[in-house]
Amino acid sequence: MTTTSNPTRDQLRQMWSGVAGAWATHVEYVDARGRRLSDRMLELTRPVPGERVLELACGTGGPGLDAAPLVEPGGEVVVSDFAPEMTAVAAGRAQSAGLANVTARVIDLEQIDEPDGSFDVVLCREGLMLVPDPERGAREIRRVLRPGGRVAISVWGPRERNPWLGVVFDAVAEQLGAPMPPPGKPHPFSLSGAGRLAAVLRDAGLACVEVAELSVPYRAASVDEWWERTVALAGPLAARLAALPPEAARALHRHAAERIAAYSTPAGLDIPGVCLVAGAVSPEAAAR
Ligand SMILES: C[S@@+](CC[C@H](N)C(=O)[O-])C[C@H]1O[C@@H](n2cnc3c(N)ncnc32)[C@H](O)[C@@H]1O
């Protein structure tokens, strides 16, 4: 794999590598919460037998694993992430599920180490907004797409409509007396602004770009479960919280827990969440 020596990128990779174990622990929750997104992404891209599918920023393996049976016989899926610890989990899951046509690779989505025009379908669930240069990532996606190729990308919607994470960011910002996420750093809501995701994909040369909202609520048995899971999975956030003095960490937890309790129901927490799901095609496909 070719990579730049940009220290920010290396730090980001280390942060995500550091939470890969937590993603493996919480894989059932990740799968359940991502289910509607994956289904929608496969509806948009419709992989068929014989095709090649690339999943970027796959984490423990998302829609790429679901696509594997759809491209049989003769097709294959590459699940990829820039954190080798994540691809190892995805590879293990593919093997356990008997998906012989899945390969796992370490790939940075901003510099995809694959030839031009080599995939029929590219999928990226909750990854593009986390890279320093999403425009570059989108151009790379366009580059590896074959004529006739299809793309589906999902990202988190606006922070105020995702209190399951927004509440934690608010509490961290109050505790540190500084904006959270820090300005200039990639973050979960960086592509949530009106028209932003569509513009990034269109500017990369993709065609027929359509973006729609999908409700992705966060359910948890208790406030404690929500807190532990959210902090464990949120790569950059996990590192910031771990660096706090114990008293500050306890105060932050208390403030966040008080706010999230507003979403309590008799069955546990039911917190709103909204994603944006984009579908697009290669310009050659649009011209047909
Ligand atoms: C929020 S997780 C989403 C994981 C998975 N797609 C899912 O929906 O369950 C973000 C993932 O993006 C990966 N990631 C972040 N920056 C990346 C980059 N530049 N290239 C490839 N993967 C990246 C992280 O390692 C992490 O696995």
Side-chain angles (χ1 to χ4, degrees):
M1 176 193 157
T2 47
T3 52
T4 65
S5 58
N6 182 335
T8 305
R9 188 163 285 121
D10 289 344
Q11 284 167 3
L12 288 169
R13 192 197 335 267
Q14 279 165 21
M15 279 189 275
W16 284 107
S17 291
V19 293
W23 278 71
T25 301
H26 294 289
V27 71
E28 277 181 33
Y29 155 79
V30 172
D31 280 353
R33 192 152 189 229
R35 166 64 31 221
R36 289 193 71 203
L37 289 168
S38 289
D39 289 350
R40 182 70 191 126
M41 292 166 80
L42 293 178
E43 269 169 33
L44 285 166
T45 51
R46 299 193 181 283
V48 296
E51 289 194 322
R52 296 193 78 225
V53 176
L54 173 64
E55 181 181 1
L56 296 165
C58 69
T60 51
L65 298 183
D66 297 329
L70 304 178
V71 297
E72 291 277 32
E76 67 167 322
V77 175
V78 176
V79 290
S80 71
D81 198 285
F82 78 162
E85 293 80 357
M86 292 285 192
T87 55
V89 178
R93 297 185 71 207
Q95 196 178 16
S96 307
L99 300 171
N101 63 341
V102 174
T103 312
R105 290 205 51 211
V106 175
I107 292 177
D108 187 327
L109 73 83
E110 287 185 82
Q111 43 193 86
I112 300 174
D113 188 15
E114 291 280 353
D116 295 359
S118 47
F119 290 94
D120 302 284
V121 170
V122 178
L123 305 165
C124 185
R125 190 180 79 181
E126 311 307 89
L128 187 61
M129 71 287 186
L130 296 169
V131 306
D133 189 347
E135 286 82 1
R136 181 178 171 190
R139 287 195 298 276
E140 280 291 88
I141 290 170
R142 153 84 188 87
R143 181 183 66 74
V144 298
L145 207 58
R146 280 185 181 148
R150 292 91 65 204
V151 176
I153 311 270
S154 70
V155 302
W156 287 111
R159 172 176 174 159
E160 60 281 8
R161 296 178 64 197
N162 282 287
W164 63 274
L165 185 57
V167 158
V168 187
F169 279 10
D170 291 347
V172 174
E174 271 171 33
Q175 194 68 36
L176 300 180
M180 180 69 198
K185 293 255 172 76
H187 62 85
F189 307 117
S190 70
L191 293 180
S192 67
R196 175 98 168 91
L197 177 60
V200 167
L201 299 181
R202 281 194 194 108
D203 290 352
L206 291 162
C208 302
V209 176
E210 287 189 14
V211 179
E213 285 187 5
L214 199 67
S215 167
V216 185
Y218 187 122
R219 302 209 166 90
S222 65
V223 170
D224 283 348
E225 185 181 80
W226 158 78
W227 175 259
E228 280 155 27
R229 203 164 53 195
T230 303
V231 170
L233 297 181
L237 188 62
R240 282 190 152 245
L241 294 183
L244 285 177
E247 184 44 46
R250 274 194 293 277
L252 193 157
H253 178 188
R254 203 169 47 246
H255 292 148
E258 279 164 14
R259 285 182 195 155
I260 212 71
Y263 301 100
S264 296
T265 74
L269 284 180
D270 188 355
I271 317 169
V274 173
C275 284
L276 307 178
V277 187
V281 300
S282 70
E284 301 86 355
R288 283 176 183 180

